[in-house]
Amino acid sequence: MSDTTTDGPALLRSPIHDRHEALGAKFAEFGGWSMPLEYPSGTVKEHTAVRESVGIFDVSHLGKAMVVGPGAAAYVNATLTNDLGRIAPGKAQYTLCCDDETGGIVDDLIAYFHDDDHVLLVPNAANTAEVVRRLQATAPEGVKVVDHHRDYAVLAVQGTKSDEVLAKVGLPVGHDYMSFVEAEFSGSGVVVCRTGYTGERGYELIASNDVAGELWDALMAAGEEFGMLACGLGSRDTLRTEMGYPLHGQDISLDVTPNQGRLGWAVGWTKESFWGRDVLLAEKEEGPKRLLRGLVAVGRGIPRPGMRVSLTHDVPLCEITSGTFSPTLRKGIGLALVPTFVNPEAEVGVDVRGRREIFQLVKPPFVDPSVREA
């Protein structure tokens, strides 16, 4: 399904687009998809619902690619940065697809390790085709990389009451962070993943399109007693920014390496091979020239992407990559790729509509996460 646009290609739609229309959602383009930005409740209330109780997101624009065949996991391990050898089947892992020549980040994604011959990858919407193309181009004989981007919905239930909501619709809960369980809903398979992008306890559910609407309706009904709100991608962005989670296309990109993006923890440095290994090891040894750092407003300034960051009035440093008003802290926060010669605890200036607002450099997250709590 797609929307017709007058000034570009048709936008893809979620299989439950009609549910969002019925709820009065405001839509925006995300990676070629028309997705809910916010509902009439507003971004701040949606954000707060996740932090204090529970919210539900439709993130069906996220990619889904299956790598299957003899040695599929070994192939993924030889190309993507993180080490699948660190986890067992039934576990998920944050990893990166990097360019082999530059070490730049093609995409950040989650790998779901089913078994040695089956790995599910969930990349970002805008990068799915490129990740699939690169993996297909070098796949060994017998290993297939299949793009299922439009075949499955992804619903994220996030917040302190997420277990209660899922349990009410008969789905499994309580498994470890970054693990998944294959379950059934209304006669259809559902993968229940203990993952998310908000910093709160929660789950992401991968279900076939034909059952997505029924699953959404059941979850909405189950969440009513807990004050669950349907949440748009606007609140998803403020929630992830509070955690310091990078967004591809803003904070990380082909022009940014894992070292610069403070994502070295997602690299299996001792592995024999992964795309970009040699150049990334060399940069790690030398030390990157810039690092993704957090900024917190000292005053009332709210940073936005593209705003200039300076050490003094006449010493420019970089630009804000992500910036927003933090509903939790009630102040402006942001991320920027700051040169490493700058003291990591320095105060810097941000040009906010012609005014030089002072910000404190910090190490994210800006808010204590609860995501790893038992």
Side-chain angles (χ1 to χ4, degrees), residues 118 134 180 247 312:
H118 179 194
R134 289 177 180 242
F180 63 93
L247 176 63
T312 62

Side-chain angles (χ1 to χ4, degrees), residues 257-288:
T257 67
N259 294 314
Q260 297 165 19
R262 305 180 76 101
L263 296 172
W265 58 270
V267 179
W269 294 109
T270 59
K271 291 199 303 181
E272 290 185 4
S273 71
F274 57 86
W275 289 335
R277 180 179 183 273
D278 293 345
V279 66
L280 291 174
L281 278 169
E283 183 189 45
K284 181 173 184 280
E285 186 173 341
E286 182 181 349

Side-chain angles (χ1 to χ4, degrees), residues 325-358:
F325 172 76
S326 163
T328 304
L329 300 178
R330 309 296 297 175
K331 59 179 65 176
I333 60 172
L335 298 169
L337 288 155
V338 180
T340 48
F341 69 76
V342 178
N343 186 316
E345 298 179 352
E347 289 188 344
V348 297
V350 176
D351 184 353
V352 180
R353 294 186 297 277
R355 299 190 317 275
R356 189 172 188 271
E357 297 281 356
I358 302 303

Side-chain angles (χ1 to χ4, degrees), residues 56-68:
I56 182 170
F57 302 80
D58 179 5
V59 287
S60 298
H61 63 307
L62 292 176
K64 308 99 194 167
M66 304 284 193
V67 185
V68 294

